Structures are given as structure tokens and as C-alpha cells.
Amino acid sequence: MLPQAAMGIVVCGDLSRSFPPAKDYWIVDASIATQNIILAATEMGIGSVWLGTWPEMNRVENIIKLFQLPGNVIPLSVIALGYPTEERSDEKKLYEEDRVHFGKW
């Protein structure tokens, strides 16, 4: 999807700035940032797709090499952004009813 996108964002964690008692919190923080970017894009009518990078190390290494990231910076995700070519149908079921529960199991 990225080659057809208007732009992309690489969301990374900087291990040199990670929280000392929990070095892997960067994964949570970068995931939250990725989700917030997607939510903001949706609100603006911009299409977005979270392209997973972490923890697939071949993808991580390719992004590091492509963008010449320093050793302390680890890519978590790539977000493809652009205007949708198709209208989204509100009638489309967005979840599986046996997996999403409201008010009870």
C-alpha cells in the first residue's frame, strides 16, 4: 500500500531515551502514537494503514538500513496515508459479533 500512498510515517522508539525500569515500554508508547496518528487521520478524512514492522526483524532491519537510522532508534511501524479511492460503506460490518461484546460477555 505504501507505493500508492501520498505519504508515509515511520514511527520509532529511541532506546537511549527509554524508561530505565522498563526498557521495552517504547513499544507501548510507539504503538499508542501510531494509533493516535491513525485516529487523527481518520477524523480528517485521510485514509491510513498501519504497516507492521516490529517484531519482524527482517522488516526492522530493512527500515533501519533504508532510512540510515542510528543504532538506538528502532522502527515499530510504518503508516501509509492518503485519500481513499473508494467510499467506505457504513453498512459494512466492522467487527465479528462473537468477538465484540457490549455490557456482557
Side-chain angles (χ1 to χ4, degrees), residues 90-102:
D90 289 334
E91 296 176 18
K92 182 179 176 183
K93 187 179 285 188
L94 299 176
Y95 61 90
E96 295 178 38
E97 291 181 14
D98 64 331
R99 294 185 180 205
V100 178
H101 310 280
F102 297 95

Side-chain angles (χ1 to χ4, degrees), residues 28-99:
V28 175
D29 293 340
S31 296
I32 292 167
T34 300
Q35 185 64 41
N36 285 340
I37 292 167
I38 290 171
L39 289 170
T42 301
E43 183 65 24
M44 294 186 289
I46 299 171
S48 59
V49 177
W50 180 331
L51 305 170
T53 302
W54 182 266
E56 296 293 327
M57 293 315 292
N58 62 326
R59 295 178 185 179
V60 170
E61 291 165 6
N62 286 337
I63 296 293
I64 289 171
K65 186 176 179 180
L66 180 65
F67 291 100
Q68 300 175 0
L69 301 177
N72 57 303
V73 175
I74 309 297
L76 176 105
S77 62
V78 177
I79 305 168
L81 297 162
Y83 289 98
T85 56
E86 300 174 9
E87 284 291 319
R88 185 173 138 186
S89 171
D90 289 334
E91 296 176 18
K92 182 179 176 183
K93 187 179 285 188
L94 299 176
Y95 61 90
E96 295 178 38
E97 291 181 14
D98 64 331
R99 294 185 180 205

